[in-house]
Amino acid sequence: MGAAVARGAAHPRMQPSAARLKGPALGGAGGATLAAALLARDPHLPGAWPTCPFLALTGVPCPGCGGLRAVHDLLTGDVAAAVSSNAWAVLTTVLVVGTYAVWLVARVGGPGPSREGHRGTRVATALTAWMAAHASALAAAWAVGLLAFGALRLLPALSVLRP
């Protein structure tokens, strides 16, 4: 082995490469930018964001109506208001953040001699591979759920789900 590694410094092979972290870094920056925009312009205020075209044309809320308000409420810690604005957007946000976390752990955790055997890294890597292999089915299930949510919240008995 060449030069000795300074005390307390990580071995170069144990550090994730910049190329492995590029995707998670860009995804995290995009998410942070969207969160900052929602915090800067409160969607609860009229005119802060454009009106939903579907709602403007039909007078009926689309499945995504209330989604910006829901994510804003999550960002400000008001989970009850978020669920009342759009429960599907809350579920989607939780799934997206969870998927991002798994992806990040899988990318940061390997490869490297000290991390390859770490259980959390193995689980995250396996879960990431499974999600990638089933991406089409997962996207289709999400879309079907979105449409079902949009239809169900129009029923009088479930009007509590409307924004």
Side-chain angles (χ1 to χ4, degrees):
M1 185 157 69
V5 176
R7 183 181 171 125
H11 189 279
R13 273 206 47 184
M14 294 169 58
Q15 296 176 354
S17 71
R20 286 180 59 79
L21 297 179
K22 184 178 180 182
L26 290 173
T33 301
L34 293 173
L38 274 174
L39 290 172
R41 298 182 66 182
D42 185 351
H44 293 92
L45 302 175
W49 292 88
T51 303
C52 170
F54 187 83
L55 179 63
L57 289 172
T58 66
V60 177
C62 79
C65 279
L68 290 177
R69 290 187 299 273
V71 175
H72 178 271
D73 291 334
L74 284 176
L75 289 169
T76 58
D78 193 347
V79 177
V83 171
S84 123
S85 289
N86 188 316
W88 192 257
V90 172
L91 175 65
T92 299
T93 301
V94 169
L95 291 174
V96 167
V97 170
T99 300
Y100 175 76
V102 167
W103 183 35
L104 186 60
V105 167
R107 289 296 179 101
V108 169
S114 72
R115 289 191 284 279
E116 286 176 352
H118 190 269
R119 184 170 187 257
T121 301
R122 287 194 320 264
V123 169
T125 302
L127 189 53
T128 302
W130 182 86
M131 287 187 295
H134 297 88
S136 296
L138 292 170
W142 178 86
V144 168
L146 175 69
L147 294 175
F149 171 76
L152 289 173
R153 75 183 193 168
L154 296 177
L155 297 174
L158 297 175
S159 63
V160 70
L161 296 175
R162 289 187 191 175

